[in-house]
Amino acid sequence: MPPPVTPPAPVGRRRFAELTGSWRAALRIARRESRRSRRRTALVLAMIALPVAALAFLAASYDMAELTPAERVDRQLGVADGELRWVADAPVRQDERGDTWYVRDGEQQQPTARATSAQVSALLGPGSRVTEVRSRIPLTLRGPRLDEDVEGRVLDLGDPLARGLVRFRAGRAPRQPGEIAVSPAALRRLDLRLGRAVALADGSRAYTVVGVVEFPDDLGMVVALHPGAVPRTSSGSLTSWLADVPGTIDAALVSRLNERGVVVTTRPPADPADDRKRTWLGRVDLSGTGDLSTGVLIAGLGLLEVVLLVGPAFAVGIRRRRRDLALVAVAGGDAAQLRRVVLADGVVLGVLGAVAGLLVGVAAAFAGRPLVEQYVFHARFGGYRCWPIALLLLGGVAVLAGVLAALAPAWTAARQDVSAGLAGRRTPPVSRTRWLTFGLSLVGGGAGLAAFGAARTSSTVILAGLILGELGLVCCTPTLIGALARLGRVLPLAPRIALRDASRNRAAAAPAICAVMAAVAGSVALGGFLASSDARESRAYRPVVPTGNVLVYASESTRPPTLAQVTGIAREHLGADTIAPINSVSCASRRGYCDVAPALPPAQVCPWQPGADLSAAQRRQARADPRCRTSAMGYDGGYVQTGVDDGTALPLLTGADPATTAAATAVLRAGGVVVTDPRYLHDGLVTVRVNQVDSATDGSTTADLPGYALSGVISQPQLLLSASAARHLGLTWSPAGWVIGTSTPPDRHQEQRFTSALRPFGTFLVSVEYGGGPNDISPLLLLLAAAAGVITVGAAGIATALAAAEGRAELTTLAAVGAAPAVRRMLAICQAGIIAGVGSVLGIVAGLGTAAIVLVSVNREYASDWPAADPYPLLVPWPALGVLVLVPVVAMLGAGLFTRARLPIERRLD
């Protein structure tokens, strides 16, 4: 009887089994290969795990820093049942947690008087108890060298309700107004100890340090004061009450308190669903698609950089395994199976790198949590936790990076000649024209897309164009390496061999060059834009007073100093040359709104108003009209500072030369006015308009007064009235401060010492004019260049080490034919120079081109606007370029320093 015939398995199931078995075998081969090539495995794991560890550290730290609703309420309430804030004398509506509120009548009505704890307790009913907490009280304490600004919080730390807001580190709670508890940061900064005294900067009061407390929401310089230490009438503080009630604060009680203008924060009912949602999704706002897409593109740039750095290691590994792969092909493996064998390397190393990076990153976040809390977030975190979905995404990206890095070597291995692989021969590289054409088209498309994004001010589109352009250059780089190799015939031995090896091993050299190019291009492009933006802001900057001069305004002065006293202090601490008083003007009634400013004559008034919906033709006319030629920020003269002066403060405020000052002073003493904008002067007169709005008066008056116009001043627009002109307009004036002239701008320490010397007379605002733009971006440019330099040196070192390992047989041949030992070191120097030099040159050209495209597109987009916006100048970030030019030299020196000069010698055993 014949045996039963087993029906064949379905085709789909059979193919799935074949695919599964093929991948299982490929993964086993990859695991074995990772153990055999331990150095290459360690190199790839390090390059994949390092960025994963850094991002995992950030993800875990961010997740711990973002408090859950329960943690936020616990930090805000401590052991209390609720927090009350009396915000209005009218009924209010609030959200469930008390974070937002509004007055039901629609008009804000501030409380007419400060409520007391007894009044608040009476609202809660019998058996309730409250304790008052006042925060954000500015204090200035005397330090060992300089005065320090700290935040004061008034609360009774002896009360259990208030004690739950802090953590005691040492000592006890303040029991009387003369005692104080300080945070650890204030203790270190002020060089204090328990039992020592610390005084206010003005010397009006001193406190004894009796405790060290930590406020979890602020790890900075904070001090806890006794309720009797600061009067309740002090301004600028926020007042709340922590409440303890017999039962719970229910909705009825919250509604009753809202009717009295009290906002209530209570403990929400526990909802495990909120915690699960918080743990898995974090606080990512998926509605912000623009920010999300920008973040995805930035992550894509980082992924591309990792792939380009890891790619050479896979390419070298495939060349060393070409005989093994050829044996797989001889045994019946097709091209797809060969690709799976190589891609399995990427999967295995990606998984190992992801696991190692995640473990290291999360462990570092947990271990370094106290330091991150203290020096980065300045607040204590919540519970120990990580961000699972973020870690899963990071692990997936790491595996994807490994697979993408092995993708090009996999296609190369599948196309290799089996006979050449068995014989150990190299397959000569072939430059395909279609890749060059495709790369150039991507470069052109990326440039156009970046220009379009710049015109639409879309950072997402700009990044997409940058990525397309970099991918295009990646496709063009192998052809460029082949073209450069043709120049090697005219070079000495070492650079000729280096160029030949780079051309023959394009699969390893091209990714390294592209990694350098991408890092340098991004650094140069961002540096160029920042340099142009900084120059634009500096050009638009208008100093308040001439450079080096100091403005001093009285904020709160109980005993104003005399001019002689201020002069003595200024000469002692600032090295002042001259000083003059500043007088501010106001309407005689001193009620309501009062504005005094010059008015343009009708012939100088622009017929169009900014912000109006103008047609393109009207905007062109406005840009061509001399009366409308002004920047967007300075239209119609902008804000004009008005004061009363007899010519004493004029040169210090405007920087006018002696002759001009004399002429302007003569006009002031004759009863006229002085303006710093010549447009306001017509027929020797200046029209001054006084607008006053109060309960009794609502209107404006104008007067034509004899005037003098200063030209070429270097300060903001000014209108200086003489005393008789102010009286003619019905105005009064009063001392507002002083302007101090110095030969050189005082530094921060001089400014602080001067401010401290004025504190016995009250609180003053001191402003020093340094004459520059708002920021100095040179450190940022150097930081960008340094980051690109680290990647450049790393890529050059990796490529040089892999080339040395791959070319050991050729080095042995050089030794056999009598080459000098220094040839090996010179060859390593040349190989590093090719990777770093070519990549840096391409990156600088690509970065400058990207910056130019973006800036020109932005300028063209705003060229037809009115008021005219200042264009971005095309500038080269020379500090960054200077560093990037030196980086290839550093890479070459490093390669020469860490390369052994002796050539390897191998003996054949017969």
Side-chain angles (χ1 to χ4, degrees):
M1 181 176 180
V5 178
T6 303
V11 177
R13 185 181 301 175
R14 186 169 63 250
R15 289 181 177 176
F16 177 76
E18 292 175 356
L19 180 63
T20 305
S22 176
W23 270 109
R24 188 182 301 115
L27 292 174
R28 286 201 304 267
I29 295 173
R31 184 182 60 184
R32 183 197 64 186
E33 183 63 26
S34 65
R35 292 177 177 177
R36 290 174 55 185
S37 305
R38 297 182 183 275
R39 293 184 178 180
R40 183 178 67 88
T41 300
L43 176 64
V44 175
L45 287 181
M47 287 188 289
I48 293 178
L50 284 178
V52 172
L55 293 176
F57 176 86
L58 294 177
S61 299
Y62 172 80
D63 197 47
M64 290 187 291
E66 289 293 327
L67 304 179
T68 63
E71 291 171 341
R72 189 180 301 108
V73 171
D74 286 340
R75 181 166 295 182
Q76 185 176 358
L77 302 183
V79 298
D81 295 324
E83 181 191 51
L84 282 63
R85 289 172 291 151
W86 204 319
V87 297
D89 281 340
V92 298
R93 290 188 183 275
Q94 69 168 77
D95 62 355
E96 182 180 1
R97 298 175 180 174
D99 295 332
T100 60
W101 56 271
Y102 63 92
V103 178
R104 253 189 296 183
D105 296 340
E107 183 177 351
Q108 178 67 28
Q109 301 179 21
Q110 296 289 344
T112 55
R114 290 184 178 271
T116 63
S117 297
Q119 293 173 323
V120 176
S121 181
L123 296 177
L124 297 175
S128 301
R129 188 173 62 86
V130 299
T131 182
E132 185 179 10
V133 178
R134 283 178 284 161
S135 58
R136 298 187 184 179
I137 299 176
L139 296 175
T140 304
L141 302 179
R142 286 182 179 174
R145 292 177 299 274
L146 297 172
D147 296 340
E148 301 289 348
D149 295 326
V150 302
E151 178 190 346
R153 297 188 182 184
V154 177
L155 67 169
D156 184 6
L157 293 179
D159 191 322
L161 289 179
R163 194 182 183 92
L165 300 179
V166 303
R167 300 174 183 174
F168 268 88
R169 297 301 185 190
R172 58 175 177 82
R175 298 172 184 169
Q176 53 187 356
E179 296 179 342
I180 193 175
V182 300
S183 66
L187 190 76
R188 292 189 301 268
R189 191 69 176 268
L190 296 172
D191 193 18
L192 296 175
R193 297 291 183 273
L194 292 178
R196 287 189 180 181
V198 59
L200 294 176
D202 58 5
S204 60
R205 190 163 189 174
Y207 302 95
T208 301
V209 179
V210 297
V212 180
V213 296
E214 176 185 282
F215 291 88
D217 63 328
D218 189 352
L219 300 182
M221 298 181 62
V222 185
V223 298
L225 302 167
H226 188 271
V230 179
R232 301 189 71 256
T233 57
S234 60
S235 60
S237 61
L238 298 179
T239 303
S240 62
W241 289 267
L242 298 178
D244 180 21
V245 298
T248 60
I249 300 179
D250 54 12
L253 179 57
V254 172
S255 177
R256 189 169 70 250
L257 292 172
N258 288 164
E259 291 293 330
R260 299 296 301 271
V262 178
V263 176
V264 185
T265 299
T266 61
R267 298 183 183 276
D271 188 359
D274 289 343
D275 292 339
R276 288 196 299 268
K277 181 179 178 182
R278 169 64 184 82
T279 301
W280 281 91
L281 296 180
R283 296 183 61 86
V284 176
D285 185 9
L286 298 180
S287 61
T289 55
D291 294 339
L292 183 61
S293 58
T294 301
V296 170
L297 290 175
I298 293 175
L301 280 174
L303 177 63
L304 175 63
E305 193 69 29
V306 173
V307 169
L308 293 175
L309 287 172
V310 176
F314 283 104
V316 171
I318 295 305
R319 285 200 302 273
R320 303 185 71 174
R321 297 169 55 195
R322 54 181 174 265
R323 178 176 173 80
D324 296 340
L325 295 174
L327 290 174
V328 173
V330 170
D334 56 10
Q337 291 171 334
L338 290 175
R339 285 194 293 268
R340 292 189 195 114
V341 170
V342 180
L343 291 177
D345 286 348
V347 174
V348 170
L349 295 179
V351 170
L352 293 177
V355 172
L358 293 178
L359 291 177
V360 171
V362 174
F366 288 173
R369 169 174 167 159
L371 296 177
V372 177
E373 290 174 337
Q374 181 69 46
Y375 298 105
V376 179
F377 288 88
H378 308 292
R380 292 297 177 198
F381 291 171
Y384 280 91
R385 53 178 176 262
C386 56
W387 193 351
I389 192 171
L391 299 185
L392 288 176
L393 289 175
L394 287 176
V397 169
V399 176
L400 179 62
V403 173
L404 291 178
L407 189 60
W411 284 98
T412 302
R415 293 197 308 266
Q416 77 168 351
D417 188 351
V418 177
S419 301
L422 291 174
R425 299 193 307 269
R426 295 172 181 256
T427 302
V430 179
S431 297
R432 302 185 183 275
T433 308
R434 63 173 179 267
W435 285 109
L436 178 62
T437 305
F438 180 67
L440 292 177
S441 62
L442 283 181
V443 171
L449 189 61
F452 177 78
R456 297 294 183 269
T457 63
S458 173
S459 58
T460 303
V461 179
I462 294 175
L463 280 174
L466 180 61
I467 292 175
L468 280 181
E470 289 189 358
L471 290 176
L473 290 175
V474 169
C475 296
C476 298
T477 302
T479 304
L480 177 62
I481 295 175
L484 290 176
R486 297 188 182 96
L487 303 177
R489 65 188 66 178
V490 299
L491 297 177
L493 176 64
R496 184 166 67 248
I497 295 177
L499 277 175
R500 185 204 62 183
D501 285 347
S503 177
R504 292 171 60 185
N505 303 326
R506 298 179 192 180
I513 292 175
C514 292
V516 174
M517 176 199 65
V520 173
S523 173
V524 172
L526 185 58
F529 180 80
L530 291 177
S532 299
S533 178
D534 182 69
R536 179 174 178 261
E537 293 179 1
S538 298
R539 186 170 56 190
Y541 177 75
R542 301 188 70 175
V544 179
V545 291
T547 302
N549 289 1
V550 182
L551 287 174
V552 181
Y553 290 103
S555 177
E556 294 180 2
S557 180
T558 57
R559 185 170 58 89
T562 63
L563 179 61
Q565 290 173 324
V566 176
T567 300
I569 297 174
R571 287 179 176 172
E572 178 182 357
H573 297 286
L574 302 180
D577 300 326
T578 55
I579 184 171
I582 300 175
N583 298 304
S584 61
V585 297
S586 60
C587 295
S589 62
R590 295 184 178 273
R591 296 192 307 269
Y593 171 76
C594 180
D595 176 62
V596 183
L600 287 172
Q604 292 290 339
V605 176
C606 180
W608 295 280
Q609 292 296 323
D613 188 11
L614 303 179
S615 63
Q618 290 174 327
R619 290 197 301 269
R620 285 194 299 269
Q621 293 175 1
R623 291 177 65 89
D625 195 329
R627 299 170 297 178
C628 307
R629 290 182 181 177
T630 185
S631 64
M633 298 181 61
Y635 176 77
D636 201 23
Y639 173 74
V640 179
Q641 180 72 33
T642 304
V644 175
D645 185 40
D646 60 355
T648 305
L650 186 146
L652 300 178
L653 292 173
T654 63
D657 57 76
T660 304
T661 299
T665 302
V667 173
L668 288 173
R669 292 178 178 175
V673 300
V674 174
V675 291
T676 57
D677 190 342
R679 294 183 303 162
Y680 293 112
L681 187 65
H682 57 96
D683 300 329
L685 301 175
V686 173
T687 302
V688 180
R689 180 181 290 114
V690 179
N691 294 321
Q692 184 176 6
V693 179
D694 56 24
S695 57
T697 306
D698 186 0
S700 64
T701 59
T702 59
D704 291 334
L705 301 173
Y708 185 87
L710 302 176
S711 58
V713 296
I714 54 175
S715 64
Q716 68 177 6
Q718 301 266 355
L719 169 63
L720 298 178
L721 304 173
S722 62
S724 58
R727 284 191 292 267
H728 177 76
L729 295 169
L731 304 174
T732 61
W733 61 93
S734 59
W738 301 268
V739 56
I740 303 171
T742 61
S743 55
T744 57
D747 55 27
R748 302 295 182 185
H749 296 291
Q750 290 177 304
E751 179 183 351
Q752 290 183 355
R753 288 195 295 268
F754 174 71
T755 305
S756 301
L758 288 177
R759 282 205 176 95
F761 301 98
T763 304
F764 296 87
L765 300 178
V766 179
S767 175
V768 180
E769 180 57 62
Y770 292 99
N775 296 310
D776 181 14
I777 64 168
S778 296
L780 181 58
L781 295 179
L782 294 177
L783 181 62
L784 291 173
V790 170
I791 295 177
T792 300
V793 173
I798 293 170
T800 303
L802 292 174
E806 177 69 11
R808 181 178 179 87
E810 297 181 355
L811 294 175
T812 303
T813 303
L814 287 175
V817 299
V823 172
R824 180 179 184 181
R825 179 169 292 169
M826 184 58 65
L827 179 60
I829 291 174
C830 293
Q831 288 172 336
I834 290 173
I835 300 298
V838 175
S840 296
V841 170
L842 290 178
I844 289 174
V845 173
L848 291 178
T850 301
I853 290 173
V854 171
L855 294 175
V856 170
S857 300
V858 172
N859 289 338
R860 290 186 61 183
E861 177 67 19
Y862 295 110
S864 59
D865 286 353
W866 181 84
D870 293 334
Y872 286 90
L874 297 179
L875 297 179
V876 177
W878 291 113
L881 289 188
V883 173
L884 293 175
V885 168
L886 294 177
V887 166
V889 179
V890 174
M892 295 169 66
L893 293 177
L897 182 63
F898 291 102
T899 300
R900 291 184 300 177
R902 196 179 72 171
L903 290 168
I905 299 177
E906 297 181 359
R907 177 180 299 176
R908 175 176 297 176
L909 298 179
D910 297 330

